[in-house]
Amino acid sequence: MSKIIKIRNLKKNIQQHSRTITILPSCSLSIHKGDMVAITGQSGAGKSTLLNIIGCLDQPSSGQYYLNQHDITDLSCTARSLLRKETFGYIFQQYWLINHLTVVENVELALLYRSGHCRSNREKARNALDQLGILSHAEHYPCQLSGGQQQRASIARAIITKPNILIADEPTGALDHDNSMQIMQILKEINRSHGTTVILVTHDREIAGMCNKRLPMETLFTKKEQLYAQA
Amino acid sequence: MHKLRTIIKGILSQRTRSMLSGIATLCATAIITCLIAFFYATTQQMADEMRTIQKNTKIVVHLHPSEQRQSQITYQDYLTSVRPAFKDRAIAASKKTYVHVYLDDKKRSGDYFEQIACDHDYLLAHNLSLSSGRFFHESEFPQSPFVVIGYDVAKKLSIDEQSSDPVSFFVAKQSHDVLGVINKQQDKFFYGQNNANRTIYTHLKTHHANLLALDEITVQISNPQESERVSDQVRLLLREKFPNVNYQITDMSQTAKQIQDYIAKIRFVLLAFGCISTLVASINITNSMYAIISERFQEIGIRLAIGATATQVKRLLLTETLLLALVSSALGMVLGELSNMILIKYLNWDYTWHIFAGPVSFIMMTVVCLLSCYAPLLRVDKINPIHAIQRV
């Protein structure tokens, strides 16, 4: 299988009161197309930062990031927006649905930005909600749903554009065990049936165990950084 | 329809902010509608005024003191019965003026002492006074001056107005024939008091030396630009020919210019008021827009994360603002037009209602709203989606 993501010595620093703080030490990794990868690690290890950079939501301070063999390290904001729209789907720990829109409108939103206003958008959104078993809540507002239902709506929004890569930041972090298992089953099903590459971040071993591949953060750091981390 | 519903939901998600922006836009549009209407009307009025002045530019020379002016005081409302003895002699109109009469010349006071002043031309012009006959010219009876007396005077002197017997009495040591008796007056006031019944009216005995035949000279000028030069020439002429006469020159074009300046000042104040209203509305909209972006920061982040470009997000916010601006400007326009109508109707304002003021202010305020959004919307370009979602 071809490498869909290749990262070399990627690093993220932030400036705080004239001090430079490293929030993601230099790390490297490769992810193949169709993989379902769990990035694990302790809190503060930089999992989410790495995932945000992979999902083009953030920009690295140094290093190289290749997506489908194209260097996208220094893309402009607009180019990253386009890439997000075309390639990625996002699932967040806190779901991040827009509160003043109904569930179906939230799901439809992803299509709206991809293909503009289209009569079929609403139908596609309803199908996606049906697929995730929350069609009956289509006209509800996010605040009227349970956590699990909101996360399903969030997944529906992420998969409706049929992205190549699904980015999930602690998708089960705010859910109970049963709901977590159900969400993971849905993600596995998406990965299996559509061949979507799923990259998720979790600190839950059980969740990580359900993925094809586990990438503990420590193993991603380059040698120098590993020594530093161990120390 | 669906898109419109989504936009309205976006507007309503910031109900208070949207309402404040809407009210600011509405008020500003209404004010500007009124101001534009007034501005246009006064412009038209001034243009008309100027056209009139261009056609009839003149200089008026007021000569004073004018003796004639003093004489133009009434007893025009009193009917006088001409005594039968004088009726056959009533043949010529008097040109003289009645002035002070004293029964007791030494004390210059008396039972029937009153100030009397009346211009006979004035009486004639108003078709007044004598029930029959006329006043006499003094020159007709140089040896026998006459008077007209009030009702109470006649009663006191026991003069029968219907009697044919000639009656005369001394006023200021001179015998005066009684020409007629003024009919009894009820609630008529003469110099603030009901003295008509107690008054003796007689001819002016002493002509004023400076009695002038006219008190106003009007000079018509064909070219309004020349008015100042003509004024100077008139001044020079009067100084040469009538050095003792006081006068005042009113240049109509100057007067018109003063009025114009005055109206221009009012217009400037109103213009400033309109600009301030627009500025306040604009600042309010800008402020609300900053607040809306700040409060919808997370939502903007989500939209950016799921694939919206900054331009798409800006377009959405701009569409929401535009819709709000259109609705509130339209309401403001209607309110402004109604205010115009009411002001013209109830305050009797002297200007015509121009309906175009509403649409002009509507367009103006919509443009102002859109421009006010420009700076806040630039912030969207700088938003990092993940920072926005996490509200960093």
Side-chain angles (χ1 to χ4, degrees):
Chain A
M1 255 192 290
S2 63
K3 282 179 186 169
I4 193 166
I5 290 168
K6 187 178 165 189
I7 281 170
R8 287 286 168 267
N9 301 323
L10 205 73
K11 198 173 176 181
K12 176 74 179 175
N13 300 325
I14 55 165
Q15 286 293 127
Q16 203 173 52
H17 308 299
S18 74
R19 273 194 319 137
T20 305
I21 301 167
T22 303
I23 56 167
L24 177 67
S26 181
C27 66
S28 303
L29 66 88
S30 297
I31 294 170
H32 292 92
K33 198 174 178 185
D35 270 354
M36 184 164 175
V37 181
I39 299 172
T40 59
Q42 292 171 336
S43 292
K47 308 185 291 290
S48 292
T49 307
L50 177 62
L51 195 72
N52 291 337
I53 293 171
I54 291 172
C56 292
L57 291 169
D58 207 353
Q59 236 175 344
S61 305
S62 62
Q64 276 85 46
Y65 175 17
Y66 296 93
L67 181 72
N68 287 322
Q69 274 110 50
H70 296 291
D71 187 355
I72 60 159
T73 318
D74 296 316
L75 283 185
S76 67
C77 284
T78 314
R80 276 190 288 135
S81 289
L82 293 171
L83 203 59
R84 283 199 295 270
K85 185 161 65 179
E86 301 296 332
T87 314
F88 295 98
Y90 301 89
I91 303 164
F92 302 99
Q93 184 180 358
Q94 297 298 329
Y95 333 123
W96 300 130
L97 298 168
I98 296 172
N99 286 329
H100 63 261
L101 298 180
T102 60
V103 170
V104 72
E105 283 168 345
N106 264 290
V107 176
E108 204 180 0
L109 207 59
L111 280 178
L112 179 81
Y113 291 129
R114 188 161 186 164
S115 51
H117 276 283
C118 182
R119 280 178 183 277
S120 61
N121 285 357
R122 181 56 62 99
E123 199 48 46
K124 284 179 188 170
R126 295 183 77 85
N127 286 341
L129 289 172
D130 193 20
Q131 198 182 333
L132 288 153
I134 51 165
L135 182 61
S136 56
H137 300 288
E139 300 303 328
H140 290 180
Y141 286 92
C143 61
Q144 296 169 321
L145 303 184
S146 69
Q149 287 165 335
Q150 285 192 56
Q151 192 59 295
R152 282 163 197 257
S154 163
I155 294 170
R157 185 179 63 187
I159 62 166
I160 195 167
T161 54
K162 296 189 170 60
N164 293 331
I165 304 167
L166 197 58
I167 302 283
D169 187 1
E170 304 257 17
T172 59
L175 301 175
D176 58 33
H177 184 263
D178 289 349
N179 268 312
S180 298
M181 291 302 122
Q182 283 173 19
I183 294 296
M184 282 311 292
Q185 286 305 328
I186 292 167
L187 292 179
K188 280 190 83 168
E189 180 58 26
I190 291 164
N191 171 253
R192 194 184 55 77
S193 57
H194 299 103
T196 308
T197 308
V198 178
I199 307 168
L200 64 89
V201 156
T202 183
H203 58 264
D204 187 325
R205 290 183 179 195
E206 191 181 354
I207 298 293
M210 293 173 80
C211 298
N212 303 341
K213 205 179 202 178
R214 286 176 63 185
L215 292 175
M217 278 304 282
E218 316 82 78
T219 63
L220 304 180
F221 298 143
T222 49
K223 272 187 182 172
K224 195 174 146 192
E225 301 294 340
Q226 275 175 3
L227 285 171
Y228 178 76
Q230 280 164 12
Chain B
M1 196 63 199
H2 167 61
K3 192 179 178 183
L4 182 69
R5 207 173 57 198
T6 315
I7 290 165
I8 291 170
K9 275 184 179 179
I11 294 171
L12 293 179
S13 70
Q14 298 296 317
R15 211 163 286 156
T16 316
R17 302 263 176 221
S18 303
M19 204 167 72
L20 288 174
S21 297
I23 290 170
T25 314
L26 187 147
C27 292
T29 313
I31 290 169
I32 290 166
T33 303
C34 290
L35 291 181
I36 289 176
F38 183 78
F39 213 81
Y40 179 78
T42 49
T43 308
Q44 289 292 102
Q45 217 167 16
M46 277 169 73
D48 292 345
E49 202 81 33
M50 282 312 290
R51 267 194 292 276
T52 314
I53 290 164
Q54 299 279 334
K55 278 183 197 165
N56 307 307
T57 303
K58 57 189 180 186
I59 291 171
V60 179
V61 183
H62 300 281
L63 302 164
H64 54 86
S66 163
E67 311 305 338
Q68 286 194 351
R69 192 174 289 276
Q70 284 184 15
S71 70
Q72 288 179 356
I73 298 168
T74 68
Y75 82 101
Q76 72 269 30
D77 290 340
Y78 307 122
L79 282 176
T80 305
S81 303
V82 175
R83 303 185 67 240
F86 292 90
K87 277 187 179 170
D88 56 333
R89 291 157 62 185
I91 49 169
S94 170
K95 292 283 183 188
K96 295 300 175 186
T97 305
Y98 294 92
V99 288
H100 302 195
V101 176
Y102 304 99
L103 288 178
D104 186 340
D105 192 46
K106 280 180 185 167
K107 289 183 186 168
R108 300 188 71 81
S109 65
D111 288 348
Y112 300 100
F113 155 65
E114 288 300 336
Q115 183 181 358
I116 303 166
C118 180
D119 183 270
H120 184 62
D121 288 340
Y122 189 85
L123 300 180
L124 289 180
H126 289 79
N127 195 23
L128 293 168
S129 265
L130 299 176
S131 57
S132 61
R134 59 163 178 76
F135 280 109
F136 294 85
H137 193 282
E138 190 186 28
S139 59
E140 292 176 64
F141 310 100
Q143 301 308 315
S144 179
F146 53 84
V147 292
V148 175
I149 58 175
Y151 184 83
D152 288 347
V153 179
K155 212 171 166 189
K156 179 135 186 148
L157 297 175
S158 304
I159 295 169
D160 180 3
E161 59 183 283
Q162 297 303 320
S163 165
S164 296
D165 300 336
V167 178
S168 61
F169 64 90
F170 283 85
V171 176
K173 295 180 183 174
Q174 193 172 0
S175 174
H176 286 70
D177 289 333
V178 177
L179 170 67
V181 180
I182 295 173
N183 297 354
K184 189 175 183 181
Q185 302 299 310
Q186 295 301 327
D187 295 316
K188 298 288 182 180
F189 284 87
F190 193 79
Y191 282 94
Q193 294 174 53
N194 192 355
N195 287 327
N197 294 328
R198 304 191 294 128
T199 303
I200 299 166
Y201 302 91
T202 185
H203 278 117
L204 175 70
K205 286 294 167 191
T206 310
H207 290 271
H208 288 272
N210 293 330
L211 184 69
L212 296 170
L214 46 85
D215 60 2
E216 198 174 280
I217 302 166
T218 303
V219 182
Q220 180 75 42
I221 303 165
S222 53
N223 182 6
Q225 310 295 327
E226 295 283 296
S227 67
E228 206 173 322
R229 193 176 62 80
V230 174
S231 293
D232 289 343
Q233 282 182 345
V234 168
R235 229 173 251 123
L236 193 67
L237 201 66
L238 284 168
R239 205 177 300 140
E240 278 178 9
K241 303 284 181 190
F242 306 100
N244 297 325
V245 172
N246 292 327
Y247 59 88
Q248 184 185 340
I249 293 178
T250 310
D251 184 344
M252 291 306 282
S253 64
Q254 293 289 330
T255 310
K257 200 162 172 279
Q258 280 170 3
I259 294 168
Q260 262 190 324
D261 288 348
Y262 182 65
I263 294 175
K265 276 176 195 165
I266 295 174
R267 280 155 54 96
F268 179 76
V269 170
L270 291 175
L271 186 71
F273 188 56
C275 288
I276 290 166
S277 302
T278 313
L279 188 70
V280 169
S282 166
I283 290 168
N284 194 306
I285 293 160
T286 307
N287 184 38
S288 294
M289 203 64 202
Y290 272 121
I292 284 169
I293 289 175
S294 177
E295 282 170 20
R296 292 172 75 177
F297 201 51
Q298 216 162 38
E299 181 196 328
I300 292 169
I302 295 168
R303 286 178 187 272
L304 290 171
I306 62 173
T309 58
T311 311
Q312 281 173 317
V313 173
K314 281 192 280 187
R315 199 181 299 146
L316 173 80
L317 293 172
L318 201 64
T319 313
E320 286 178 9
T321 312
L322 182 66
L323 183 69
L324 188 66
L326 286 174
V327 172
S328 45
S329 297
L331 289 174
M333 179 181 76
V334 172
L335 187 71
E337 296 286 21
L338 282 174
S339 307
N340 265 340
M341 284 171 70
I342 292 165
L343 287 173
I344 291 166
K345 194 175 174 187
Y346 292 102
L347 297 180
N348 286 324
W349 277 18
D350 186 23
Y351 74 82
T352 327
W353 176 44
H354 293 282
I355 197 159
F356 77 87
V360 168
S361 60
F362 171 76
I363 295 166
M364 206 171 112
M365 273 318 292
T366 308
V367 171
V368 166
C369 278
L370 293 179
L371 290 177
S372 305
C373 292
Y374 180 75
L377 285 178
L378 290 179
R379 272 191 72 189
V380 175
D381 287 326
K382 294 173 190 164
I383 295 177
N384 177 315
I386 202 69
H387 290 176
I389 290 173
Q390 292 167 352
R391 275 202 167 270
V392 176

